[in-house]
Structures are given as structure tokens and as C-alpha cells.
Amino acid sequence: QAVVTQEPSLTVSPGGTVTLTCGSSTGAVTSGHYPYWIQQKPGQAPRTLIYDTSNKHSWTPARFSGSLLGGKAALTLSGAQPEDEAEYYCLLSYSGPYVFGAGTKVTVL
Amino acid sequence: EVQLVESGGGLVKPGGSLRLSCAASGLTFSDAWMNWVRQAPGKGLEWVGRIKSKNDGVTTDYTAPVKGRFTISRDDSKNTLYLQMTSLKTEDTAVYYCATAGGFSGSPWNFQYWGQGTLLTVSS
């Protein structure tokens, strides 16, 4: 089974910008992996912010954006807010089965 | 509004069995593909498996650690998704979430809606 890699933790200042990345043990992440970005706050159910690389749901704040960057999927948070402090999971599709990354803990400090 | 409500979690001894349910509302359940995702205490998310709709053959896919032990099924007349778990191991201890799935990989329905989860504890 493929392994999806993410930074364990990142810190961003309020109002600042941070980019989370998501790599695959099988090679470059492409649009064919249909990358997802899922936010989870302590004690809450997950909430999907980004699907299919860069598409947003109606509840996704505009400050979040998804892209492909240097062979990885990326989630950029521009203008971080205190409420963005959370765990962020990348999810990739491998022609059917899905694999989550271990998550990135984002601290807004 | 789409709502997913899981139930059936509890304490089970290693080697035991349990069935989880996910009651769905606010969507045409018979057309929906559905996922199960789990999260061990203090750990990350793990995709468990997916079931397609009747129109798409009700086929299922599973992650390797649960193949042969877990079975996903559905009752469209009750708008309910199931996860039958057998030969349970301590490492199956987790909160189990159901989530919507789409009919193709890039579908916005994939993991669009999540339930609140139900806790399974496997311990002697």
C-alpha cells in the first residue's frame, strides 16, 4: 500500500501564510490522485475543505486553496485565523482505494 | 441537509463481532456510494472501505488490514449503511465514521458529508 507523506507540524502567525504539502511513495502526486484536504479540530468530525486538487465546497473559506506543487499536492492557507488551528489530512486516490496522510498539525501563533 | 448518524459502537472482546450502522437522510441514498473511515485514539484517519450503489453493482473495496474480516453492506429501503466486523483485533479500536462517496474519483460527493462517528473498543 502506498504511503502518503505530510509535514508533522507547522506554525503560522495570525494573518500569515503557510503551505502544507502531500507526497506519495509511488512518485509524483498528479491530478489523477484527485487530492483531498480534510480539516479536523479536536473532538470534532472531519470536514473536507478541498476535493479534486483545488475545488472548494460551499463552506470552505476563501483563504484556503489547493494546488499541485513540485510533484506534491499542496494546501495554502493565506491570512491564517485562530480558528484555522487544526489537524489537516491529505487524502489520495489510488485507482479505487484511498490512502490518508498522517496529518499536519497547524498551530496559529 | 444531508445527515449521517452512526450507531452500534461499544466494547467487544478480541475475536468478537459487531455491526455498525449509518443512518442517512437528506440525500437519495439509493444512488449514493458510501465510505467508512476510522480513527484510532490519538491517531490519524484511515480509509476502511467503500460500497457502490445498486445501479453500479453494489461492489465493495476495502483497505488491506480489514479485507476478509469486514463487510460493508446497505439497505436502501432503510437508508442505512452497515459495517459488519468479525475477528476483531485490539488494533481495530477506533471511532468509525461514515462519509459520502461519489460515482467517480473527482466527484464533489467524495467525503463531502461525514457523520459524527461511533466508538468501537476491542479489549479483553
Side-chain angles (χ1 to χ4, degrees):
Chain A
Q1 178 170 289
V3 175
V4 176
T5 56
Q6 297 184 245
E7 298 87 359
S9 63
L10 292 169
T11 299
V12 59
S13 300
T17 296
V18 64
T19 297
L20 289 64
T21 67
C22 171
S24 173
S25 63
T26 61
V29 175
T30 70
S31 58
H33 290 97
Y34 305 95
Y36 297 80
W37 290 96
I38 294 159
Q39 178 191 62
Q40 188 179 34
K41 297 180 179 179
Q44 296 186 15
R47 180 176 76 151
T48 301
L49 298 178
I50 300 288
Y51 67 95
D52 192 12
T53 305
S54 58
N55 294 288
K56 300 179 185 182
H57 287 299
S58 58
W59 51 77
T60 305
R63 58 185 179 273
F64 289 95
S65 61
S67 64
L68 294 176
L69 197 63
K72 295 184 177 183
L75 176 71
T76 299
L77 169 57
S78 303
Q81 301 296 308
E83 60 265 30
D84 299 328
E85 190 161 290
E87 195 83 25
Y88 291 85
Y89 294 94
C90 173
L91 174 65
L92 300 180
S93 170
Y94 288 88
S95 300
Y98 291 94
V99 180
F100 282 93
T104 297
K105 168 67 175 165
V106 171
T107 301
V108 181
L109 188 60
Chain B
E1 179 193 5
V2 175
Q3 286 199 322
L4 303 174
V5 180
E6 301 92 338
S7 62
L11 176 62
V12 179
K13 288 183 166 54
S17 300
L18 197 69
R19 189 180 77 166
L20 304 182
S21 300
C22 168
S25 60
L27 76 167
T28 305
F29 184 75
S30 58
D31 291 340
W33 298 16
M34 297 293 296
N35 288 300
W36 282 101
V37 175
R38 67 183 179 181
Q39 186 170 36
K43 303 296 185 183
L45 300 170
E46 179 183 24
W47 179 76
V48 172
R50 177 192 62 194
I51 187 167
K52 297 181 181 179
S53 64
K54 183 178 179 181
N55 281 348
D56 293 296
V58 201
T59 55
T60 51
D61 295 289
Y62 300 94
T63 188
V66 310
K67 273 183 187 174
R69 300 189 300 121
F70 289 12
T71 302
I72 300 173
S73 63
R74 60 192 301 154
D75 185 337
D76 291 344
S77 69
K78 296 181 178 179
N79 287 353
T80 301
L81 172 74
Y82 301 104
L83 180 63
Q84 178 70 50
M85 302 177 290
T86 63
S87 302
L88 283 164
K89 307 175 181 180
T90 55
E91 53 263 40
D92 295 319
T93 294
V95 174
Y96 285 75
Y97 298 99
C98 59
T100 56
F104 57 96
S105 292
S107 167
W109 277 94
N110 281 323
F111 306 98
Q112 182 173 12
Y113 297 102
W114 295 71
Q116 286 301 306
T118 187
L119 175 63
L120 166 69
T121 302
V122 183
S123 174
S124 55

